[in-house]
Amino acid sequence: MTDPATTPEPETHQKIDTSVPHSARIWNYWLGGKDNYPVDEEAGDAYTAVFPGIVTIARSSRAFLRRNITHLVTEAGIRQFLDVGTGLPTADNTHEVAQRLAPDARIVYVDNDPMVLAHARALLYSSREGATAYIDADVTDPERILAAAAETLDLSRPTALILSNILGHVADREQARSIVTRLMAALPSGSYLSINDGSRGIDPVFEDAQDGYNKSGAVPYNLRTVDEITSFFDGLELIEPGVVSVTQWRPGPGGPAGEVIAEHGGLARKP
């Protein structure tokens, strides 16, 4: 385990509002996790009543990330990961996948949600050879993220930046692009960018459900077109098959690619 100073303080629990649904806890519920409250289950069930496919999207997103990390470790030789907007711990967290393949892998998680911070202990257990740390920071503050990450990661070495279902929480597309650009600018050649986000223009039922959710008072999540998601990789070298529905990004050997769903992502290398 890393420095205990990064573990949650007792007062963190006092900041958690269990009276309103929260996107991280709802996502955890859809993934089959236990770190959620009845209000989150009610909101999650209300969403699935309109669009049952959201559970498929959530779980396919996690499977996509697992395949990304596997490629990065086994084929690209990456041993450092910066996972921004990690959310609540569930199965196959970044450090679990990476360190299962390379015990010396070092992972820094970033989130600013008090409930995620309260469960940071579950994220911080690392292999003896590697390291895992948690940063309490907002995705809109790349400089703070990078400064804190440098305490655990050697940012002069290739690093994989993971932005999984986080950029949709940044409403302004140019601001989201700026965040990606500023984070990747600090990483050396040979680093990688992994992004996946909900996509618009694929499934009208999903869009209606998400638009309704955004009007509910919960923290909104903005769907983007596939072209808009692809633009986050500008200046980088996309790894085949490029930006595709997450079910179709390098599916398991011998298995057919899944159906196209409204969640797109890709992986790219910094030249």
Side-chain angles (χ1 to χ4, degrees):
M1 192 166 175
T2 58
D3 186 347
T6 61
T7 58
E9 298 296 332
E11 61 266 27
T12 300
H13 296 274
Q14 300 172 8
K15 301 176 185 177
I16 299 172
D17 186 351
T18 62
S19 67
V20 295
H22 191 283
S23 58
R25 300 195 305 254
I26 296 170
W27 194 258
N28 175 268
Y29 174 56
W30 287 332
L31 285 172
K34 304 299 182 184
D35 295 315
N36 47 73
Y37 295 99
V39 67
D40 305 306
E41 296 180 14
E42 291 170 10
D45 289 343
Y47 195 117
T48 57
V50 178
F51 180 62
I54 190 62
V55 174
T56 298
I57 285 178
R59 297 182 181 181
S60 297
S61 170
R62 180 53 60 111
F64 163 84
L65 181 58
R66 182 173 62 247
R67 296 195 302 275
N68 265 214
I69 296 169
T70 299
H71 171 86
L72 288 165
V73 173
T74 61
E75 298 187 44
I78 295 296
R79 296 294 183 268
Q80 299 194 129
F81 296 83
L82 178 56
D83 186 340
V84 181
T86 178
L88 288 161
T90 52
D92 282 343
N93 300 292
T94 297
H95 76 286
E96 293 171 326
V97 177
Q99 292 183 345
R100 193 157 57 227
L101 299 166
D104 61 333
R106 303 176 73 84
I107 295 88
V108 169
Y109 291 105
V110 181
D111 211 296
N112 72 331
D113 182 271
M115 182 147 182
V116 176
L117 180 58
H119 288 78
R121 290 182 190 276
L123 289 173
L124 289 171
Y125 284 99
S126 170
S127 65
R128 184 171 300 177
E129 301 91 335
T132 307
Y134 179 86
I135 297 171
D136 181 11
D138 192 282
V139 67
T140 59
D141 192 354
E143 286 69 31
R144 172 180 166 80
I145 290 171
L146 292 164
E151 297 179 13
T152 300
L153 307 177
D154 178 356
L155 297 183
S156 69
R157 296 174 51 214
T159 301
L161 171 63
I162 297 173
L163 297 168
S164 180
N165 287 295
I166 183 64
L167 293 176
H169 288 298
V170 182
D172 184 87
R173 183 163 63 97
E174 290 309 312
Q175 182 185 15
R177 284 171 58 95
S178 173
I179 290 167
V180 175
T181 299
R182 287 150 68 192
L183 287 170
M184 287 304 297
L187 304 181
S189 172
S191 293
Y192 285 79
L193 171 64
S194 171
I195 291 177
N196 63 284
D197 264 309
S199 46
R200 187 173 290 277
I202 305 297
D203 190 332
V205 179
F206 176 38
E207 293 170 20
D208 288 345
Q210 188 61 47
D211 291 345
Y213 174 85
N214 288 350
K215 296 174 184 175
S216 71
V219 177
Y221 180 86
N222 303 277
L223 304 179
R224 291 194 165 96
T225 67
V226 177
D227 285 345
E228 288 172 337
I229 294 172
T230 302
S231 72
F232 292 131
F233 295 99
D234 285 353
L236 305 177
E237 301 169 345
L238 276 165
I239 305 302
E240 290 295 332
V243 176
V244 295
S245 178
V246 292
T247 55
Q248 300 188 326
W249 197 92
R250 301 198 173 196
E259 63 176 324
V260 173
I261 61 174
E263 174 85 12
H264 280 67
L267 178 68
R269 181 183 183 275
K270 182 175 179 178

